[in-house]
Amino acid sequence: MRLPLVVVLFAAAPLAAQSRDCDGYFTSLVAPAGFCVRTFADSIGPVRQVVVHPSGQVVAALNEAPGLVRLRDRDHNGKADEVVRFGPDEGGTGVTWRADWLYFAAESGVIRYWWPANAEAPDSAGEWIARGLPTGDPGSAHAAKGIAVGLDGTVYVSIGAATNNCQVKEGEPKSLGRWPCPELARRAGVWRFTPPATKGAAWTMQRFATGLRDASALALDPATDRVWTVTRGRDLLDVLWGVDASTAANQPAEMLEQVVQGGDYGWPYCQGMWSRRVTMLARAPEYANQASIDCTAKTLPVMGFPGHWSPMAIAVVNSTLATVPHPGLFIAFHGSLDRAALSEDGQFVVFMPLDEHGRPAGDFRIMLHSATAPGSLRPTGVAVAIDGNVYVTDDEHGRIYRIEPHPPRAR
């Protein structure tokens, strides 16, 4: 399967003040010039990450039970006319498809459904890969889990931290951090699940990487087996440590990371300090008294983004799957809620081109944003279909948008 060149043209095209949707009606959503956006589905519920099955059906994770929904546009008018909810009796956030299996990162475990590329629907009986994974109150813990699957069937799952920055007295100003942070044993990292050699036997669980506060935006490059994430940095530097509010609005960084086996990305001991040139790791104030911490020895980020943009999902487009000059990453940012000194920012989807070495190649380009008030668009998932359409989920409004590679219809 090959993605068309229009995907790259879309990413490279300048962003215009697009004010009409694909049917020519006025809209507040803005896409690059020469492309248009439409509401593919509405009133779906708290949709999170999304994937497109080879049959063309769109599958989204739901942060409520049952945890999955599949949608199909049978009459080809650009809108879903078949909506089927299925999955386990719990919600979740991560979903992906690989080699005839649909994988779902539910709240407490990982389940997969047999769904061959040529099948109209998944098997109704799911197979649990893992149960009893750490959970938590979504209001106070990073309960969201990302999921990615390697070419050999290995499953990667992110588990978020339970706290902001592992303080002794959580949320109390000037409280130091717990040393060592006990959360790292079961949380704040990526775990690898290896399929058993014998059918029906248990999968093997192993910590793959640590020091990732919230890596729920997780994806794998099918051509290189590279695992990518964009992590969410800690909060409340101004409230807890007296950092100037304008500084705390952009710090610490959200960080693009290439996740490698044995990598230690620093949380909670180190945090990313964002700048327009390069993002570096610095010791977190909770651990200022721990002289043994060397942030330069941690696994450094590939690049950073301003703080509190809240990355929620990442998707890979690789040159081996498309006739494109460079591979790239699509990143869905939910938007900032902790930038009191500055205006809210970050409610958009961006495209980050990568060079032949898998490193960022130039600036990212905004794919989709809203021209109206902050909060009118809250991206939580992004997926690219083989026909060049890009699907974006919005949990706050219960919608799925579709960006199409053609200009709006004239009216």
Side-chain angles (χ1 to χ4, degrees):
M1 295 184 297
R2 300 175 67 86
L3 286 171
L5 183 59
V6 294
V7 171
V8 161
L9 295 178
F10 167 58
L15 197 67
Q18 190 85 291
S19 60
R20 293 184 183 272
D21 65 14
C22 293
D23 293 321
Y25 294 104
F26 287 109
T27 177
S28 63
L29 297 178
V30 182
F35 295 79
C36 63
V37 61
R38 72 166 76 244
T39 298
F40 177 73
D42 206 348
S43 302
I44 300 300
V47 285
R48 298 297 292 269
Q49 295 175 16
V50 63
V51 68
V52 182
H53 185 262
S55 67
Q57 295 180 71
V58 177
V59 185
L62 290 169
N63 212 5
E64 65 181 16
L68 292 163
V69 60
R70 59 184 176 91
L71 309 98
R72 191 198 314 246
D73 174 15
R74 284 193 175 275
D75 58 9
H76 305 291
N77 69 346
K79 300 180 184 298
D81 46 36
E82 179 181 287
V83 179
V84 179
R85 297 174 186 269
F86 68 106
D89 192 24
E90 61 180 88
T93 50
V95 63
T96 192
W97 183 90
R98 173 82 68 211
D100 295 335
W101 288 96
L102 178 75
Y103 296 81
F104 176 49
E107 292 174 2
S108 66
V110 179
I111 188 172
R112 67 177 186 170
Y113 295 87
W114 178 249
W115 194 358
N118 60 355
E120 289 294 299
D123 191 276
S124 59
E127 172 190 329
W128 285 96
I129 290 173
R131 301 298 298 266
L133 298 183
T135 60
D137 179 2
S140 61
H142 298 94
K145 294 175 175 65
I147 189 167
V149 182
L151 300 176
D152 60 356
T154 299
V155 177
Y156 300 87
V157 179
S158 65
I159 302 175
T163 61
N164 178 38
N165 213 57
C166 205
Q167 289 180 289
V168 173
K169 296 182 179 179
E170 179 68 12
E172 182 174 305
K174 307 295 184 179
S175 174
L176 297 179
R178 289 179 286 172
W179 178 256
C181 178
E183 292 184 44
L184 295 173
R186 296 195 70 215
R187 310 189 73 127
V190 172
W191 272 256
R192 180 172 61 190
F193 295 84
T194 305
T198 305
K199 185 177 181 180
W203 289 57
T204 302
M205 178 180 179
Q206 177 188 27
R207 188 170 66 179
F208 184 69
T210 190
L212 297 160
R213 179 176 178 263
D214 184 347
S216 54
L218 191 70
L220 184 138
D221 184 334
T224 65
D225 241 17
R226 289 191 182 110
V227 181
W228 290 97
T229 186
V230 191
T231 60
R232 298 167 71 176
R234 56 85 54 85
D235 297 317
L236 304 175
L237 282 175
D238 50 347
V239 174
L240 298 179
W241 294 99
V243 174
D244 175 78
S246 296
T247 300
N250 281 321
Q251 303 293 352
E254 320 283 42
M255 294 181 289
L256 175 64
E257 316 268 19
Q258 188 174 313
V259 188
V260 297
Q261 183 170 5
D264 182 349
Y265 296 83
W267 186 91
Y269 313 129
C270 305
Q271 59 192 32
M273 302 310 294
W274 175 78
S275 77
R276 295 185 183 277
R277 291 176 295 176
V278 64
T279 292
M280 301 299 294
L281 293 178
R283 197 180 307 177
E286 287 84 357
Y287 295 92
N289 63 336
Q290 297 292 342
S292 62
I293 294 174
D294 180 7
C295 294
T296 64
K298 302 297 184 183
T299 310
L300 300 180
V302 174
M303 65 172 293
F305 298 93
H308 315 298
W309 278 13
S310 295
M312 302 295 276
I314 183 171
V316 182
V317 173
N318 192 279
S319 57
T320 64
L321 299 177
T323 52
V324 298
H326 297 291
L329 306 172
F330 292 77
I331 306 170
F333 289 100
H334 198 246
S336 58
L337 295 174
D338 192 19
R339 290 168 56 89
L342 301 178
S343 59
E344 193 170 345
D345 196 6
Q347 306 94 6
F348 39 60
V349 176
V350 306
F351 173 80
M352 169 58 66
L354 301 176
D355 63 21
E356 64 273 19
H357 304 295
R359 307 292 294 184
D363 294 332
F364 66 81
R365 300 173 175 90
I366 295 177
M367 289 174 46
L368 180 69
H369 81 281
S370 175
T372 57
S376 56
L377 176 67
R378 292 288 189 197
T380 50
V382 59
V384 184
I386 60 174
D387 58 7
N389 291 325
V390 179
Y391 292 86
V392 177
T393 58
D394 179 328
D395 69 334
E396 191 164 309
H397 304 98
R399 296 190 187 112
I400 301 176
Y401 299 105
R402 190 168 86 181
I403 305 167
E404 301 177 5
H406 61 80
R409 185 175 304 164
R411 296 195 69 84

